[in-house]
Amino acid sequence: MLRSHRSSAWIRVALFVALAVASVRGLYRSAYEASALRVTPDEVEYALGAERFVRLGTFDLDFDGTRLPPSSSPWFSIGVLAPAYVVAPHQIGAGIYSVLALSLFGLLVLYSLGARFGGAWGGSFAVLGVLVFGAYPSMAQYIMTDVPSAAFALGALWFFVRASEGNARSFEWWFAGAAIAAAFALRSVYLALLPQFLWLAWSTSIGRMRAILAATLPTLAVVVATWIYQARAFGDWSRSGYQFWRSVPYDYPSLVWSTDYFAANFAIFAESTTALGFGGFVVGATLLLLKRDRGARRFVLACALVVAPITFFFLGYYYPDTRMHMLGQTLGFGLAAAGVGAWLPPRVREFDWVPLVLAVAVACFVERDYSRSNARREVVDEIAARTPNDALILSLNEAVYLEAFEPEGSARTFLALCRDVEFASKLLTPVRVPAPEPPPRDAYDYRCAGLRRGGARDAVRFTASERPDLIQSALRSGRRVFLDRSPLTDVAIADQLLGRHLRYRGRRPQDSLIEVVAVE
């Protein structure tokens, strides 16, 4: 028997190591790769906002010498990403390490939840299911809030299980409150967590008011801090950065949420990761409910009451995307694994080497294709290597992104090629325009003419296509001018955007950086 216990202990240690290796391998991305900041404007705002906060002490972005607050709130950049830039101040992609740490934390919590109801099988299958089939690891490749906020939400739900079983101490409610507030600070839809904890706190016979305050006050503090920030950054405590940068759609609720968007959002559930995740949610919830375990029932109910309003909201949201359902998908794999593990016969569950073998197989052989293109980052290196220090760069990448890599003392100038480039495509709207005339065509009509008539102004003053005289002036003064067309596969499109007045030196279809030699 002693040998059996020792063998089981070694298997558990080996299982933990295998799961850790599989998790790191599935989630890791280098700072160089992450510095491509492909999801615009989100990643650009998060990463550059954090880097500038550490370097300059300000949360803003620089556009032609004008400092503007990003559309996102500062809590992700300052609270989550900034420590990574303190450690690695010269790496624009360093924020990915903060994302990695929280991603691993989320999987650890998911394992704990799965193991609580399904043993080692349940915990292992929860993690492996997410790594092999879920959207969680693919979104962990980006400096985005989706995975970190879901990790905080999972942490809050772990405490819910502990508290509902009567194992939580009074001070631990503050950890739950902090997890709820952190998830809410990164993505406001996680306010859906709070009612479940208020109900649980109210049902607590001892220390009820302390539990309610501990669960509520951190989130209230985030709300007040956000109002103060918005008042200082945008001149109105009730006006967010999204409304300032994208008045269309965020100033007009009917453009943000509508039943007209249901069809496009329902189509997401046909995608494999979402279908598997929510299918697992239904199957796992059913299996756990059939066990007639009070703790399992409470947990399933809490998960359903958190995920349901979030899912319903995003079914009517104007921007359909799988990542909006991150928590529901991830919990689905966890519930399915826990449910299957809970129903396994005790004799089968004793074979804990089976999850170990699967974890080792995933760690060694499973590699998902995340299509991690580094083209944006590579063009930064190409500009540094091929252009003089005072070159004028016309680009379809955001100027604020390219400028972030410039060394101190550089005299290169970056200019958006046209109004299709991110940030150059936006109008700043300090005050809501009640009834734009003409009205916006749809939720993506960021440059609605009615906004401009109502007082909105360009975030970027001019583009290359609007000021060919600046290009001509630069060429006449002896400056070399280059066209960065890296986002395009067809060079003819660049000709259409900039007009038929440029002549190039040695243009080849495969070149992403082309020198402009004349403006006719």
Side-chain angles (χ1 to χ4, degrees), residues 51-58 60 67:
E51 189 273 337
R52 287 175 61 84
F53 178 78
V54 171
R55 180 165 53 89
L56 302 174
T58 59
D60 55 30
R67 292 184 172 184

Side-chain angles (χ1 to χ4, degrees), residues 47-400:
L48 298 191
E51 189 273 337
R52 287 175 61 84
F53 178 78
V54 171
R55 180 165 53 89
L56 302 174
T58 59
F59 182 66
D60 55 30
L61 299 176
D62 192 321
F63 296 91
D64 300 324
T66 301
R67 292 184 172 184
L68 295 172
S71 63
S72 55
S73 65
W75 315 132
F76 180 56
S77 294
I78 294 175
V80 175
L81 303 180
Y85 291 98
V86 172
V87 176
H90 303 296
Q91 298 188 53
I92 297 300
I96 198 66
Y97 298 131
S98 293
V99 174
L100 173 63
L102 283 172
S103 303
L104 291 171
F105 166 74
L107 290 184
L108 179 63
V109 174
L110 190 66
Y111 176 88
S112 181
L113 290 171
R116 160 60 186 82
F117 302 107
W121 286 68
S124 302
F125 286 174
V127 173
L128 296 176
V130 166
L131 290 175
V132 175
F133 301 110
Y136 190 97
S138 62
M139 283 311 303
Q141 309 295 307
Y142 300 97
I143 304 176
M144 296 281 285
T145 61
D146 303 278
V147 171
S149 60
F152 283 126
L154 289 170
L157 288 170
W158 176 87
F159 176 83
F160 183 94
V161 173
R162 181 174 169 81
S164 65
E165 295 174 344
N167 297 323
R169 300 174 183 178
S170 58
F171 73 88
E172 292 182 46
W173 278 91
W174 287 102
F175 291 107
I180 296 168
F184 168 70
L186 302 193
R187 292 189 71 82
S188 56
V189 291
Y190 287 121
L191 187 63
L193 288 162
L194 193 56
Q196 321 315 318
F197 284 84
L198 292 178
W199 166 73
L200 184 61
W202 183 258
S203 64
T204 302
S205 57
I206 300 176
R208 176 183 298 171
M209 288 308 300
R210 287 198 300 270
I212 291 175
L213 289 174
T216 307
L217 287 180
T219 297
L220 182 61
V222 171
V223 171
V224 173
T226 300
W227 287 345
I228 293 172
Y229 166 75
Q230 290 177 174
R232 292 182 176 180
F234 308 110
D236 184 347
W237 66 269
S238 65
R239 190 159 188 77
S240 73
Y242 290 103
Q243 293 166 311
F244 178 75
W245 276 90
R246 281 171 276 179
S247 181
V248 174
Y250 289 103
D251 266 332
Y252 310 98
S254 63
L255 291 178
V256 176
W257 197 94
S258 171
T259 55
D260 293 341
Y261 304 137
F262 273 20
N265 282 291
F266 267 121
I268 287 177
F269 286 86
E271 297 179 7
S272 59
T273 55
T274 311
L276 282 171
F278 279 87
F281 194 105
V282 173
V283 171
T286 303
L287 291 173
L288 288 175
L289 290 174
L290 290 174
K291 288 296 290 184
R292 298 184 179 180
D293 178 290
R294 186 185 178 196
R297 285 188 169 187
R298 280 194 167 188
F299 175 59
V300 169
L301 179 62
C303 290
L305 291 177
V306 170
V307 170
I310 294 175
T311 301
F312 180 75
F313 173 77
F314 283 122
L315 282 177
Y317 192 56
Y318 84 100
Y319 190 83
D321 199 318
T322 301
R323 65 187 178 87
M324 304 300 180
H325 304 280
M326 183 63 61
L327 181 63
Q329 293 178 42
T330 307
L331 275 174
F333 289 107
L335 287 173
V340 171
W343 279 94
L344 287 176
R347 183 173 298 180
V348 174
R349 292 176 69 172
E350 289 179 2
F351 296 111
D352 46 7
W353 54 267
V354 174
L356 172 60
V357 171
L358 291 175
V360 170
V362 171
C364 294
F365 303 112
V366 175
E367 184 169 356
R368 295 177 61 180
D369 180 15
Y370 299 124
S371 300
R372 299 181 294 193
S373 170
N374 298 319
R376 277 164 58 89
R377 183 63 178 88
E378 289 166 359
V379 80
V380 171
D381 298 336
E382 190 174 359
I383 288 172
R386 288 188 50 200
T387 68
N389 189 52
D390 65 342
L392 171 61
I393 312 295
L394 318 178
S395 182
L396 282 163
N397 290 300
E398 312 87 68
V400 69

